[in-house]
Amino acid sequence: MDGISHDVYSLNILINCFCRLHLVDFVFSVKMLKFGLEPTTVTFTTLINGLCMESKIDNAVEFFDDMVARGYQPDVYTYSTIINGMCKFGKTNVAIGLLKGMADRGCEPNVMTYGAIIDALCKDELVGEALELFSQMRNKGISPNVITYNSLIHGVCKLGQKNQALALMNEMVEQNILPNVYTFNVLIDALCKDGMVSEAQNTFNVMIQRGVEPDVITYTSLIDGLCISDHFKEALALLKEMVGRNISPIVFTFNILIDTLCKKGLVSNAQNIFKIMIQRGVEPSVVTYNSLMYGYCLGSQIDKARKLFDLMVTNEIADIFSYNILINGYCKYKMIDDAKQIFDEMSHKGLIPDAVTYHTLIKGMFQAGRPQNAKELFKDMCSYGKQSNIVTFSIMIDGLCRQGNLDEALTLLKEMEESQLKPDLVTYCILINGMCKASKINDAKELFSSLFENGLQPNVYIYSAIMKGLCREGLIDEAYKIFRDMEKGGCLQNNCCYNIIIQGFLRHEDLPKGTNQRNG
């Protein structure tokens, strides 16, 4: 630097440049005092910001404390910088403490200082505390800005408080703070996720009227909402509109449409969207292919699903979901050997089957009349350290009951209880059904009674199962008593319950009672 005059201002600019290039460590090698220059508050603030940008929050706090210890007075920008850094790295409570101590050190916070903490509290779903701080800020005469309102709107939307979000947006408009694209996007997304699509469309129209240009996120949220609400035509029209506005759909936009159409069995429509996606140069993701594969399986096009799966395997993009979709497809069409082959291939590709994989294949084995294979899979699942859960046991118990292996099912129930898993109502319903089908009505009655003793409230499916079993055994009066007791137990009879009782009475030629049930 010989021959060039330099001062603290030029060095501050240089330090800022290095910090923005993520070279903060290099900055600390610049010895300012070597040039006879005394650092200023701006120097410290710039370096604190650089450390925060590099995720070195502990060093930033240490440097801030060192600054104060050396007699430098932090200004509002220094405080806002360190508070913002603390909030970003989960030290919100420390940031609040620092905010409270600012006035004692002769420095008044500004909208940026408050905004950083309000945003962090909202992200942590502590919206009540954020609103309290917001109120405190306004009482001090500090005007909120669009960023402050955006944080609060996002926070209340996360908690499902859409009305409060709309109230906050109206409030900001009244104060001549114009909502930006982010404000509208947060609201539109929240309304769509809650199924309030017409309200989301109204908000979109307000956005256009106010001259705020929608972006890809706006359109993607609306398309998602319309797909959830089964308004495919409107969703497709919106895709056309966004392209007309020169807003390029992203992979996520296409994935929403393809996935929805495939799940509704409209795989040919999904293929058309896929073609548009390719034409526009948008690279399909594993989610795109998985959705199409699911659509093929649903539409009985298992060969197409397999071809797509093989292509994914060749391109090394198949994931656990890809394998699970195809295994489920094969099981659905009783192609159990193909399903097992895909299952075996997983380990060769370094993929570990998850609970869904095992559940699908175990269920498939039972449905294909291969209980021994199902039991082996269950054993494998336990031996490979995969934690069996209530669903696993319920699938096994159901399969055994359907095969008429009631004793094995009851042994499994004991194993389940010994492994600290509490059977749920689904498990009990399966067992009661199984007992009734095996003509073990007394065991079924005993199990049904034990539910009340264990503090469980039977649901309509359990009531239906026991009543059906009693009617089958000719115990109409007992079935009718249970039918009458349902409402007292807080469970309303449905059409199925009425049909069971009526058919029971008719089968045993007790017409008067049977024909009067619906009026009783």
Side-chain angles (χ1 to χ4, degrees):
M1 298 180 83
D2 292 339
I4 301 170
S5 65
H6 49 265
D7 57 17
V8 70
Y9 303 107
S10 55
L11 268 175
N12 282 349
I13 291 164
L14 186 64
I15 288 167
N16 188 43
C17 289
F18 280 123
C19 285
R20 289 186 181 278
L21 291 168
H22 299 282
L23 295 167
V24 71
D25 290 332
F26 175 74
V27 174
F28 278 96
S29 67
V30 179
K31 306 286 184 193
M32 296 188 72
L33 294 175
K34 181 181 165 186
F35 302 111
L37 297 171
E38 187 68 27
T40 64
T41 301
V42 174
T43 320
F44 282 101
T45 304
T46 307
L47 281 165
I48 288 165
N49 188 45
L51 289 164
C52 289
M53 283 166 73
E54 291 284 297
S55 306
K56 296 178 177 179
I57 189 64
D58 292 332
N59 299 89
V61 172
E62 200 179 304
F63 197 61
F64 175 84
D65 292 338
D66 183 49
M67 171 189 180
V68 175
R70 285 167 67 175
Y72 288 90
Q73 177 61 44
D75 63 15
V76 68
Y77 300 106
T78 322
Y79 276 108
S80 295
T81 303
I82 192 71
I83 282 171
N84 188 45
M86 285 173 170
C87 289
K88 283 202 167 104
F89 293 95
K91 296 177 182 283
T92 311
N93 287 336
V94 184
I96 291 168
L98 205 57
L99 174 76
K100 286 175 181 172
M102 278 180 75
D104 298 336
R105 288 180 176 175
C107 185
E108 284 298 324
N110 65 10
V111 66
M112 284 168 61
T113 329
Y114 277 103
I117 298 174
I118 287 167
D119 186 56
L121 289 168
C122 286
K123 280 175 180 161
D124 291 339
E125 296 187 7
L126 299 166
V127 179
E129 289 178 41
L131 287 164
E132 207 175 292
L133 200 63
F134 178 71
S135 178
Q136 191 186 110
M137 176 182 101
R138 291 175 74 182
N139 290 341
K140 284 193 171 188
I142 300 164
S143 296
N145 60 18
V146 66
I147 298 164
T148 328
Y149 273 107
N150 283 350
S151 298
L152 286 168
I153 287 167
H154 190 235
V156 295
C157 281
K158 268 173 83 180
L159 296 180
Q161 298 167 3
K162 264 85 55 200
N163 289 337
Q164 190 162 5
L166 289 163
L168 280 163
M169 191 168 84
N170 290 336
E171 185 185 294
M172 68 189 285
V173 171
E174 282 166 17
Q175 297 198 19
N176 291 321
I177 300 165
L178 297 176
N180 59 16
V181 66
Y182 181 84
T183 325
F184 283 107
N185 283 352
V186 167
L187 259 175
I188 287 166
D189 186 58
L191 290 164
C192 285
K193 281 192 168 76
D194 227 41
M196 299 167 74
V197 185
S198 57
E199 288 86 345
Q201 286 173 309
N202 290 340
T203 307
F204 177 77
N205 293 335
V206 170
M207 180 182 188
I208 303 294
Q209 284 161 17
R210 290 189 172 276
V212 178
E213 275 296 308
D215 61 11
V216 65
I217 294 163
T218 326
Y219 277 103
T220 302
S221 296
L222 266 176
I223 286 168
D224 190 28
L226 288 164
C227 284
I228 290 165
S229 307
D230 289 349
H231 294 122
F232 311 124
K233 283 183 182 173
E234 286 181 60
L236 292 166
L238 215 52
L239 179 73
K240 199 174 177 181
E241 185 187 307
M242 73 185 286
V243 170
R245 280 178 177 262
N246 287 322
I247 298 166
S248 294
I250 52 175
V251 66
F252 189 62
T253 322
F254 285 111
N255 284 352
I256 289 165
L257 284 161
I258 290 167
D259 187 59
T260 305
L261 291 164
C262 285
K263 279 177 180 166
K264 295 289 173 185
L266 302 166
V267 73
S268 58
N269 300 66
Q271 283 174 301
N272 292 336
I273 299 295
F274 182 76
K275 282 173 191 168
I276 295 166
M277 185 180 186
I278 301 299
Q279 284 162 9
R280 294 193 65 83
V282 178
E283 186 73 29
S285 68
V286 65
V287 176
T288 324
Y289 289 116
N290 284 346
S291 296
L292 279 169
M293 230 169 66
Y294 180 89
Y296 289 136
C297 289
L298 196 67
S300 308
Q301 298 179 61
I302 199 80
D303 291 341
K304 281 191 178 181
R306 181 59 193 258
K307 274 182 190 170
L308 191 57
F309 174 79
D310 289 340
L311 178 71
M312 290 170 77
V313 170
T314 305
N315 293 332
E316 297 183 342
I317 60 164
D319 61 9
I320 188 80
F321 299 106
S322 320
Y323 281 88
N324 286 349
I325 289 163
L326 193 59
I327 288 167
N328 186 52
Y330 278 136
C331 287
K332 188 182 166 189
Y333 296 106
K334 305 282 189 294
M335 299 167 74
I336 203 71
D337 291 323
D338 296 275
K340 183 67 168 67
Q341 183 210 335
I342 297 294
F343 175 82
D344 293 336
E345 277 178 24
M346 288 179 80
S347 56
H348 303 310
K349 299 289 179 187
L351 282 169
I352 300 163
D354 61 9
V356 174
T357 325
Y358 278 106
H359 292 167
T360 306
L361 201 52
I362 289 168
K363 207 172 184 177
M365 289 295 182
F366 274 123
Q367 285 168 350
R370 286 157 68 167
Q372 197 51 46
N373 295 113
K375 285 185 242 181
E376 283 165 16
L377 278 164
F378 177 68
K379 210 177 266 182
D380 285 349
M381 185 180 179
C382 299
S383 63
Y384 284 127
K386 286 280 164 202
Q387 195 64 46
S388 303
N389 56 27
I390 293 171
V391 177
T392 323
F393 277 99
S394 294
I395 289 167
M396 282 298 297
I397 289 167
D398 184 48
L400 291 166
C401 285
R402 285 176 190 274
Q403 295 286 325
N405 300 329
L406 192 60
D407 291 337
E408 278 189 69
L410 289 166
T411 304
L412 212 54
L413 179 72
K414 277 183 187 167
E415 272 183 45
M416 185 181 181
E417 289 168 333
E418 281 164 13
S419 66
Q420 306 302 305
L421 280 172
K422 283 185 106 178
D424 62 7
L425 291 175
V426 174
T427 321
Y428 283 117
C429 188
I430 290 163
L431 277 165
I432 289 167
N433 248 323
M435 287 168 175
C436 291
K437 280 176 185 169
S439 298
K440 296 199 172 184
I441 196 66
N442 288 332
D443 291 340
K445 280 157 67 176
E446 201 178 305
L447 190 59
F448 179 73
S449 300
S450 74
L451 295 181
F452 298 96
E453 289 159 23
N454 292 328
L456 289 168
Q457 175 58 53
N459 59 23
V460 71
Y461 303 106
I462 292 176
Y463 275 112
S464 297
I466 192 71
M467 286 191 296
K468 204 171 188 176
L470 289 164
C471 287
R472 197 184 285 126
E473 296 295 320
L475 302 167
I476 309 299
D477 290 340
E478 285 187 53
Y480 183 57
K481 186 183 181 303
I482 286 171
F483 176 83
R484 282 297 185 199
D485 288 344
M486 276 181 77
E487 210 168 329
K488 290 179 200 167
C491 186
L492 288 174
Q493 303 100 329
N494 63 8
N495 283 344
C496 182
C497 301
Y498 276 103
N499 288 337
I500 289 164
I501 288 295
I502 291 167
Q503 284 168 25
F505 280 128
L506 291 171
R507 198 178 293 119
H508 293 84
E509 296 179 353
D510 195 350
L511 295 176
K513 274 188 183 176
T515 50
N516 284 323
Q517 286 321 298
R518 291 188 182 271
N519 303 319

